[in-house]
Amino acid sequence: MDLPVAGNSVHVAANRPAVPQSAGNGKATLGAFNESGYGDGSSVASCRSDALTGYETLDSPPHYDFYANTEVWGRRRRFRPSLYQLYANPEDDSRPPMYEETTGEQMDGGDSSEEDEDEQKEPPPEPTRFGWVQGVLIRCMLNIWGVILYLRLPWITAQAGIGLTWVIILLSSLITGITGLSTSAIATNGKVKGGGTYFLISRSLGPELGGSIGLIFAFANAVAVAMHTVGFAETVTDLMRENGAVMVDRTNDIRIIGVITVTCLLGISMAGMAWESKAQILFFLVIMVSFASYFVGTIIPASPQKQAKGFFSYKADIFAANFVPNWRGAEGSFFGMFSIFFPSATGILAGANISGDLKNPTVAIPRGTLMAIFWTTMSYLLVTATIGSCVVRDASGMLNDTMSSSTSSEDCVGLACQHGWDFSNCIKNSTCTYGISNYYQVNTHTHTHTHTHIHAIFETLSCLCKDKLYPLIGVFGKGYGKNDEPLRGYLLTYIIAACFILIAELNTIAPIISNFFLASYSLINFSCFHASITNSPGWRPSFRFYSKWLSLLGAVCCVVIMFLLNWWAALIAFGIVIFLLGYSLYKKPAVNWGSSVQAGSYNIALNQCVGLNHVEDHVKNYRPQCLVLTGPPSSRPALVDLVNCFTKSLSLMMCGNVVAADSSPAAVDKTSSDRHVSWLNQRRVKSFYRGVVATELRSGVNMLLQGAGLGRIKPNVLLTGFKKDWRSDTAQAAHDYIGILHDAFDLHYGVCVLRMREGLDASRPSQSHGEASISIDPESQPSTVFQKKQGKKTIDIYWLFPHVKRWARCKVRVFVGGETDKKEEQKEEVLALIKKFRLGFHEVEVLPDIYQKPQPGNVHQFENMVSCFRLDTNPKQDSDSGPPRQQEEPWMITDQDLERNKAKSLRQIRLNEVLQDYSREAALIVVTMPVGRRGVCPSTLFLAWLDILSCDLRPPVLLVRGNQENVLTFYCQ
């Protein structure tokens, strides 16, 4: 992957898009309009001699590369400019702060010749990737249609009867169906990599539970290899015995054939995914042929040989007799049959287990898994009904057991008597060798799919080894070839499977793995529930057909069934999980996956914030933690209510109050009064309050910016009201206001400015930014627009902003600037990005008319705003009087300032006209706040931009500017 290389310093011109230069000299006036058009964001003007004067910009609209952590061969990755580059003085050549998009390799420079050489290299070989049919649907169906279907389902039907067997099948499908829904939700919550079930659980519940269940799941799959291999070997052994071929005895023959079979299948797996996939298709075709052969066979009239073995084709009396249970032996119970049948349903994770080999896991896993569960459930129900309608429970297999004329119907025992056969002797002596109660091979067709379980173990072991959660397993994760096949992991699986094959008893192996798979399913469901209940911002699965309460029900059912099946095996499984969990908690692995456990820790951390010192921040769990400059909170209730709308109890809100005075007990008491907290509590706003005393407003806010919060619970967004009286107040006050915004940027805060037509300050008629001089009584609770339920209005977003719950009925509209000839292309680009973020917005409008000239009247209005701050640079005046005055009064605006910032000024004027046209009836307008460059844009000019941009609008206007760090992600990790 070729990355852009930067030198030791960052130059603005290097990132400026190529746009036509405009020519013209003379005094700066805003009446002249540059025809080159507007850029993508806030314009950037340079004070260099060759600076472009059009609407070019460093600011960049959202792009896929900004949020992805993977590289694409053959093209350079795009990077956002840092916030430093956006607002710093372009003459300052100091190195900017190191952000994600400005990596160390970029800053160190590079050799262009090496870059060219890298570009000419061949792309890396692409590993094999599968679609949802071949990669998930077929794979899951093959794993579900296992040996239980062919070797044990008729026997289970004989024991439990058709009715209870249907209950067993539907109960198993209910558990796997709920787990399938939970798996689909987890798998669609970001990009899924290799690691299968372990990856899904660990990235949701964290490394502690994920690692422990990962090892258990790998072991369960290894035992499943043995189960399916023993089933195959059992079938082959019985067929050999029927034809008089015996090697040693039945048990040892199963062991010999099983070891030979698993060795051959190991070879298929080690040959690679391509060969394994071809084998999957072959086995699937064999299954389809076997199903066709089976159903055709049930329709064909029974021959005497088949009748001797208990097969009479479809008979109503046989169905009625087999519908009720007939328990036999030590295993004859409902849960005994369930424990033997349930492993057949465990193949639902076969597709998720090869998540790293799927073309599009977020589509393939939900679609393939749920379809496989549905079709296999139907097939199991149908096979149970047909086999129970055609075959009696007991038969001798002897052709001379037909009823003769001398045989009395009273002496004949069994249902077969009604169809001309007398199996009374073997029924009375319990020596019948045929019938669905005695003969496992009623509908046997040779089939095995051990290699799919081997590959599932590969995925889990490989990911576990890479995460380095446990010692001594890393040696098994070493990969070979383009698919990174862990041959050592295959050998480990082979050894484990061979050991369990030596048991050579299917009914003994099946219950062993039931508990381990149930434990895995329980944690998958709990992962989905936990991620939902913690309201993690990173939990936004695109798969919507799941319920957190259904997932919780599935998790509880799995645990209950584990103990009903075999209580001591369940205790062993939980003991292993607890031991591995304790080891992980003790070792504290140095990994950070943005799990739901971390998201849940945030809620607890409000009272136990010390515990969060061990948890690193993650983009998935980003929350807007707001420091709100309210002064006394009761003086600006609209600011309080707006922030409360999207913080609620899920994010930090801190109301800041600066008392501009010398330190004195009276001033300290004023800032720390309990009246402020009482007012917040009575208003039911979950917020902290922090007051400081400072000699001036700006220094006090700086104290809040640096000192507010505790541990990880600290503000990252500064929200303040617009300084409506900036022209009537002192120039120093306006300068300090803009200085506060720059201070927030310097400290990596995002900044929001709220403007309302009626003003914000409820304590006095004139709006000011500083603290209120008169505090409203805590008992007084004035209402604001942000407390009211909004009707079917719109929330107009000019770029991106999170949806707030109070306006749930409002429709969100996203507006972006664009070009007329690329309007649809730009719209689809933004829609695709919003879809990847799973934000749920569907209405995007591209505004090509944003590049038009602003109305002359509005331009004149802007010129009047700044007229009182213009610095007269008449040439007749003493030349030495200008610069010193500008140094003493940095808020003064020169002609040069107007000229080089003309593009941005015109842009804000035109954008206000667009807001007037498109968002007049909106409930809320959210718009990107322009950035004024320090040393290039005087503070009063910057304030004039904010004023002209948001003036004369009926809805509240929220100006938003982030700190150029990622707060959204579409990745799972």
Side-chain angles (χ1 to χ4, degrees):
M1 172 67 186
D2 298 320
L3 298 175
V5 179
N8 291 331
S9 62
V10 176
H11 297 289
V12 173
N15 289 289
R16 183 184 289 115
V19 295
Q21 297 190 25
S22 61
N25 298 314
K27 187 175 181 179
T29 60
L30 291 174
F33 184 80
N34 194 311
E35 295 295 335
S36 62
Y38 286 70
D40 292 325
S42 302
S43 300
V44 174
S46 174
C47 60
R48 302 173 188 271
S49 60
D50 60 344
L52 300 179
T53 58
Y55 294 94
E56 67 277 10
T57 178
L58 278 182
D59 213 352
S60 180
H63 190 270
Y64 179 92
D65 285 352
F66 300 164
Y67 312 96
N69 59 5
T70 55
E71 300 175 351
V72 179
W73 187 91
R75 70 170 176 85
R76 292 189 179 189
R77 182 176 175 182
R78 294 179 59 177
F79 294 94
R80 286 182 299 179
S82 68
L83 186 62
Y84 178 91
Q85 293 169 302
L86 287 177
Y87 79 88
N89 190 334
E91 293 181 345
D92 185 1
D93 287 335
S94 61
R95 294 163 70 95
M98 301 289 282
Y99 291 108
E100 175 196 11
E101 61 273 15
T102 312
T103 61
E105 290 78 10
Q106 294 170 276
M107 296 303 300
D108 293 339
D111 192 327
S112 60
S113 61
E114 293 179 2
E115 203 174 346
D116 295 339
E117 182 181 347
D118 291 340
E119 289 179 355
Q120 296 173 0
K121 289 181 180 179
E122 292 294 326
E126 277 293 322
T128 305
R129 293 285 186 262
F130 305 105
W132 72 273
V133 174
Q134 186 177 356
V136 182
L137 178 64
I138 292 179
R139 188 176 298 269
C140 288
M141 293 179 77
L142 283 177
N143 276 262
I144 297 173
W145 284 332
V147 294
I148 301 298
L149 171 65
Y150 292 100
L151 299 182
R152 291 298 182 268
L153 187 59
W155 175 68
I156 293 173
T157 304
Q159 290 268 358
I162 298 173
L164 285 182
T165 303
W166 281 348
V167 173
I168 291 173
I169 294 171
L170 292 175
L171 179 59
S172 301
S173 298
L174 175 64
I175 294 173
T176 57
I178 294 175
T179 306
L181 294 175
S182 300
T183 303
S184 300
I186 298 173
T188 58
N189 189 50
K191 187 172 182 179
V192 179
K193 300 180 181 178
T197 305
Y198 158 71
F199 183 89
L200 298 179
I201 297 177
S202 62
R203 268 55 178 180
S204 180
L205 283 179
E208 297 82 11
L209 279 173
S212 57
I213 205 61
L215 286 179
I216 285 183
F217 189 76
F219 177 76
N221 275 284
V223 180
V225 171
M227 184 189 75
H228 292 290
T229 305
V230 166
F232 173 77
E234 184 180 297
T235 301
V236 174
T237 299
D238 289 345
L239 293 175
M240 290 172 56
R241 291 173 64 85
E242 289 180 4
N243 292 277
V246 178
M247 290 182 285
V248 183
D249 54 44
R250 187 177 187 274
T251 300
N252 286 302
D253 286 356
I254 292 175
R255 292 169 178 165
I256 294 170
I257 296 172
V259 172
I260 294 174
T261 302
V262 78
T263 304
C264 295
L265 292 172
L266 174 65
I268 295 177
S269 296
M270 298 184 79
M273 284 296 297
W275 284 95
E276 191 261 358
S277 178
K278 294 175 183 177
Q280 289 280 0
I281 296 175
L282 175 62
F283 288 133
F284 185 76
L285 293 176
V286 171
I287 288 285
M288 292 296 100
V289 172
S290 71
F291 268 116
S293 175
Y294 166 76
F295 286 114
V296 170
T298 60
I299 298 173
I300 298 175
S303 63
Q305 290 80 6
K306 288 184 177 181
Q307 291 181 355
K309 295 181 179 180
F311 178 80
F312 295 96
S313 192
Y314 291 100
K315 303 293 182 182
D317 56 346
I318 295 179
F319 176 86
N322 289 335
F323 191 83
V324 295
N326 183 11
W327 308 114
R328 300 182 184 182
E331 298 166 332
S333 65
F334 177 84
F335 286 104
M337 295 300 103
F338 182 87
S339 66
I340 294 174
F341 173 82
F342 186 75
S344 67
T346 58
I348 64 167
L349 297 179
N353 286 335
I354 63 162
S355 55
D357 298 304
L358 299 175
K359 292 178 182 177
N360 190 352
T362 57
V363 173
I365 292 176
R367 186 179 298 175
T369 302
L370 296 177
M371 288 190 67
I373 293 173
F374 174 78
W375 289 116
T376 53
T377 300
M378 293 298 102
S379 65
Y380 272 114
L381 294 174
L382 190 59
V383 169
T384 299
T386 53
I387 201 72
S389 302
C390 298
V391 186
V392 296
R393 283 190 167 97
D394 298 291
S396 65
M398 302 179 63
L399 291 173
N400 58 357
D401 278 349
T402 56
M403 291 185 64
S404 61
S405 56
S406 61
T407 304
S408 161
S409 58
E410 289 82 5
D411 298 332
C412 186
V413 179
L415 188 62
C417 302
Q418 302 177 23
H419 302 284
W421 291 82
D422 184 8
F423 302 133
S424 302
N425 289 334
C426 74
I427 292 175
K428 293 176 180 178
N429 300 326
S430 300
T431 57
C432 295
T433 55
Y434 290 94
I436 56 176
S437 290
N438 309 289
Y439 186 52
Y440 289 150
Q441 314 295 331
V442 171
N443 60 347
T444 297
H445 297 274
T446 58
H447 166 66
T448 183
H449 51 273
T450 306
H451 53 280
T452 60
H453 288 280
I454 294 177
H455 195 78
I457 301 167
F458 144 61
E459 290 276 0
T460 303
L461 278 180
S462 178
C463 198
L464 266 170
C465 295
K466 290 177 181 177
D467 290 339
K468 300 179 181 178
L469 298 182
Y470 301 109
L472 305 178
I473 66 171
V475 65
F476 299 107
K478 182 175 175 58
Y480 299 87
K482 70 175 184 179
N483 270 55
D484 204 26
E485 303 278 354
L487 303 184
R488 298 175 184 176
Y490 289 156
L491 291 175
L492 175 64
T493 305
Y494 171 80
I495 294 172
I496 296 174
C499 292
F500 278 88
I501 286 173
L502 297 180
I503 297 177
E505 180 54 53
L506 188 63
N507 289 5
T508 302
I509 298 174
I512 294 176
I513 64 175
S514 290
N515 270 317
F516 289 107
F517 276 115
L518 281 168
S520 301
Y521 292 173
S522 177
L523 278 181
I524 289 175
N525 287 306
F526 184 74
S527 298
C528 183
F529 167 76
H530 192 267
S532 302
I533 203 68
T534 55
N535 293 309
S536 170
W539 177 250
R540 302 188 305 277
S542 56
F543 181 82
R544 301 295 183 186
F545 304 102
Y546 76 96
S547 167
K548 59 185 177 183
W549 302 115
L550 196 61
S551 297
L552 178 62
L553 175 64
V556 173
C557 286
C558 288
V559 174
V560 171
I561 292 174
M562 284 177 67
F563 283 93
L564 290 176
L565 294 182
N566 194 321
W567 64 268
W568 58 265
L571 290 177
I572 291 175
F574 278 105
I576 296 174
V577 171
I578 292 172
F579 173 79
L580 296 174
L581 174 62
Y583 176 84
S584 298
L585 291 174
Y586 174 75
K587 281 297 191 180
K588 295 182 175 62
V591 293
N592 181 25
W593 296 324
S595 67
S596 59
V597 171
Q598 295 175 6
S601 297
Y602 181 87
N603 298 330
I604 302 173
L606 296 177
N607 296 318
Q608 300 177 343
C609 56
V610 176
L612 279 181
N613 291 332
H614 304 289
V615 181
E616 295 181 4
D617 293 329
H618 194 281
V619 64
K620 280 171 54 181
N621 292 329
Y622 169 82
R623 297 169 187 261
Q625 305 186 89
C626 299
L627 172 60
V628 193
L629 299 184
T630 60
S634 57
S635 66
R636 292 177 182 82
L639 277 173
V640 175
D641 294 335
L642 170 64
V643 179
N644 184 54
C645 283
F646 57 84
T647 59
K648 291 295 184 180
S649 59
L650 306 176
S651 188
L652 173 66
M653 175 181 174
M654 182 173 291
C655 295
N657 180 20
V658 178
V659 175
D662 294 330
S663 295
S664 65
V668 172
D669 290 341
K670 186 176 181 179
T671 60
S672 59
S673 173
D674 291 337
R675 290 161 59 89
H676 306 305
V677 177
S678 299
W679 186 88
L680 290 170
N681 291 338
Q682 290 176 12
R683 203 173 183 84
R684 296 183 179 179
V685 174
K686 294 186 177 180
S687 171
F688 294 99
Y689 168 81
R690 180 71 183 273
V692 296
V693 179
T695 56
E696 59 180 4
L697 178 64
R698 181 176 178 181
S699 61
V701 173
N702 199 288
M703 293 166 59
L704 287 173
L705 290 171
Q706 297 190 63
L710 183 63
R712 301 290 177 190
I713 307 179
K714 58 184 179 181
N716 52 27
V717 175
L718 175 69
L719 195 143
T720 183
F722 176 70
K723 186 170 179 58
K724 194 175 182 181
D725 62 344
W726 66 279
R727 284 185 287 172
S728 60
D729 203 351
T730 63
Q732 182 65 51
H735 183 70
D736 289 343
Y737 178 84
I738 296 301
I740 289 172
L741 304 186
H742 283 304
D743 292 342
F745 289 142
D746 288 338
L747 294 171
H748 293 212
Y749 275 65
V751 175
C752 299
V753 176
L754 176 66
R755 181 173 187 176
M756 298 178 64
R757 185 176 59 177
E758 60 273 18
L760 295 173
D761 202 332
S763 65
R764 55 185 178 182
S766 62
Q767 167 67 30
S768 175
H769 171 71
E771 79 283 356
S773 59
I774 303 174
S775 178
I776 294 181
D777 190 279
E779 301 295 330
S780 176
Q781 296 292 333
S783 63
T784 66
V785 65
F786 301 110
Q787 287 183 312
K788 302 173 182 176
K789 293 288 185 181
Q790 299 296 323
K792 295 183 178 180
K793 299 180 181 179
T794 62
I795 299 175
D796 291 350
I797 300 175
Y798 291 79
W799 287 126
L800 294 176
F801 193 77
H803 185 40
V804 284
K805 200 170 184 180
R806 191 174 296 278
W807 294 293
R809 297 183 63 189
C810 293
K811 179 174 62 175
V812 177
R813 301 189 300 179
V814 179
F815 294 87
V816 295
E819 302 171 10
T820 304
D821 55 342
K822 296 182 179 179
K823 183 175 180 179
E824 290 302 319
E825 178 183 342
Q826 292 170 335
K827 178 178 180 180
E828 292 300 321
E829 195 171 279
V830 176
L831 278 172
L833 187 61
I834 291 175
K835 183 178 180 181
K836 283 185 176 294
F837 282 132
R838 311 177 303 281
L839 294 174
F841 306 156
H842 303 291
E843 188 166 337
V844 173
E845 289 194 34
V846 178
L847 306 175
D849 57 348
I850 198 174
Y851 299 118
Q852 296 177 2
K853 292 182 180 180
Q855 297 295 324
N858 294 329
V859 175
H860 182 68
Q861 179 185 356
F862 179 81
E863 290 177 338
N864 289 337
M865 282 184 181
V866 299
S867 60
C868 59
F869 299 100
R870 293 287 298 274
L871 184 64
D872 187 9
T873 55
N874 191 334
K876 296 180 180 179
Q877 188 180 2
D878 185 6
S879 59
D880 294 332
S881 64
R885 183 182 176 192
Q886 192 173 10
Q887 291 175 6
E888 295 174 0
E889 300 175 340
W891 49 81
M892 299 303 292
I893 304 171
T894 65
D895 294 341
Q896 183 184 10
D897 293 330
L898 284 178
E899 177 59 34
R900 62 188 175 189
N901 290 289
K902 180 175 66 176
K904 269 195 174 181
S905 299
L906 293 174
R907 177 181 178 82
Q908 311 316 319
I909 300 170
R910 175 57 189 155
L911 187 53
N912 178 260
E913 295 174 355
V914 172
L915 296 178
Q916 296 280 4
D917 291 339
Y918 289 91
S919 302
R920 186 178 299 273
E921 301 300 325
L924 177 67
I925 300 174
V926 183
V927 63
T928 301
M929 184 174 69
V931 174
R933 284 183 171 274
R934 181 183 292 147
V936 177
C937 177
S939 55
T940 50
L941 181 58
F942 186 17
L943 257 172
W945 289 348
L946 302 184
D947 197 345
I948 196 68
L949 172 62
S950 57
C951 68
D952 299 326
L953 292 169
R954 186 198 61 80
V957 180
L958 188 65
L959 303 173
V960 179
R961 167 60 64 176
N963 61 0
Q964 298 300 102
E965 294 182 359
N966 286 344
V967 297
L968 285 174
T969 180
F970 45 78
Y971 273 84
C972 183
Q973 182 175 1

